[in-house]
Amino acid sequence: MLAAGLPEDPAELWRPGGTEAAAERMAGVWRELIGARPAVHDEAADTLESALGLSEVWARRLAGGYGAADDGTVEAAGWELVSTAYSYGVTVRPVAPPGAEPPYGTPVGIPLREIASALVWAWTDRPVGDPAVAGAAALYERLREELARPGLLLKLEGGRVQDTTDRIAGRFGPARLPVALDRRKDDRTPAATAYDGGPLVVCAPGGVSFLRPTAVTGPEVWRRVREATGLTGALDRVAPLLPGGGLERMLHRSRSGAVETGAYEADPRHSCPELVERVAKELGVGTDAAALHLQLATLAAPTDRNVRRWNGWSAKQHRQAAAELLATGAVVEARRARAGRTLFLPGDWTETGAPHLPLEKAKLTTHTVWPLYGNSVVAPFVRILPTAPLHEMFTEAWERR
């Protein structure tokens, strides 16, 4: 490559355009030896990493689909249930294709949670028509392909069927799935038993549960699954991935043209202007203050910086809208650590730990978040993100007040 930079007559390097020509020759050799990839959108990649902790690989995939970047992940040939020896906990483990074992540390299995998180970010936190996320629809199709594989099970995080072993066997058996024992532990402890009820697989003892997406063939099956387990919160956390769920509706919304290019779904003046007019009338404020109220009432992270970005506001415009809204009594003013804002909904406050921002307790349900000890949470995505198209969530938040 260095040799290609040197022309036959070295004096050409000092003539006009000489260094540019050298760079072009070197780049040509680089492409022959290494190949070429489209340039990544630096701002989008940086924002994606800071907001979700996802690497540049995901910025490339949002721009060009799943195949636009390779992080060494080996696609799973199947999945197996694995029980640990020191407890009756059970998890799903992707199985590498038969043959040579991949090197230690190689990721196995398409990372569904990361794909879903990147898609939600693309469709709710980026401007409509952003070329940096032009491949989001293709990435969604890759997610759908993986969810359509018959052997896939989704663990219902934060949900266990509370029942005895005998009753679990009677409710969800007699069919069973094998459960391997994690041989890195003490193999004298017996593995749990997984009872295969079709859409649901429930392990005993302990009641750890899994959903088989391909068996959820319609609303009636989904209703029966919810009734059979009572695991409303855990099922709600996987619902956005299913056909007709929040992700699919976000995809359709992104194709609808309802919001003009360059505007944000997170700005209700663009995503649901009629609702903003109704809120403004009922609160007795202007549309800017009404939009701010909907953002504070709905979104998990309506920080001052985010609100100004979504709404295209200057600091002065933001202060004016905030003062008008505060005068109505619909929100309260306070200083709270790590909140990134000073206006909040009245009511209880939840101190979730990093990397999540703290938020109003009322928003835990709408974002299907289950708080755990130590300020950690169980959530559908890698961060606390919307679970439905934002115009739907804005409307529900206002009707729920």
Side-chain angles (χ1 to χ4, degrees), residues 48-219:
L48 182 60
E49 184 170 9
S50 62
L52 272 63
L54 297 180
S55 69
E56 179 187 304
V57 165
W58 292 101
R60 293 188 180 278
R61 287 172 173 167
L62 282 173
Y66 188 82
D70 182 9
D71 59 359
T73 297
V74 174
E75 295 193 21
W79 295 266
E80 64 178 356
L81 295 176
V82 179
S83 174
T84 60
Y86 293 137
S87 71
Y88 290 107
V90 180
T91 191
V92 179
R93 183 165 63 190
V95 178
E101 283 293 317
Y104 177 78
T106 300
V108 178
I110 302 300
L112 303 180
R113 197 161 177 251
E114 285 77 1
I115 293 180
S117 302
L119 290 172
V120 173
W121 177 83
W123 288 328
T124 64
D125 197 59
R126 298 298 293 180
V128 172
D130 182 6
V133 296
L139 185 58
Y140 174 79
E141 290 306 318
R142 183 65 188 87
L143 174 66
R144 291 295 318 141
E145 290 173 7
E146 197 70 2
L147 289 168
R149 295 179 62 182
L152 178 66
L153 293 174
L154 299 178
K155 187 173 184 179
L156 298 179
E157 298 288 355
R160 291 171 179 260
V161 173
Q162 302 296 326
D163 214 333
T164 65
T165 296
D166 289 343
R167 283 180 55 83
I168 288 175
R171 291 168 63 187
F172 301 99
R176 300 182 183 184
L177 288 180
V179 180
L181 192 65
D182 189 339
R183 296 299 176 183
R184 293 172 297 179
K185 308 295 184 180
D186 183 352
D187 61 5
R188 290 173 297 177
T189 303
T193 301
Y195 294 94
D196 187 356
L200 285 167
V201 174
V202 181
C203 299
V208 176
S209 303
F210 303 84
L211 182 75
R212 180 178 282 115
T214 54
V216 182
T217 54

Side-chain angles (χ1 to χ4, degrees), residues 7 35 39 46 50 69 116 118 126 152 176 269 321 332 345 350 357 375:
D46 291 345
S50 62
R126 298 298 293 180
L152 178 66
R176 300 182 183 184
R269 297 172 304 172
V332 297
L345 291 183
T350 299
L357 292 181
N375 294 332

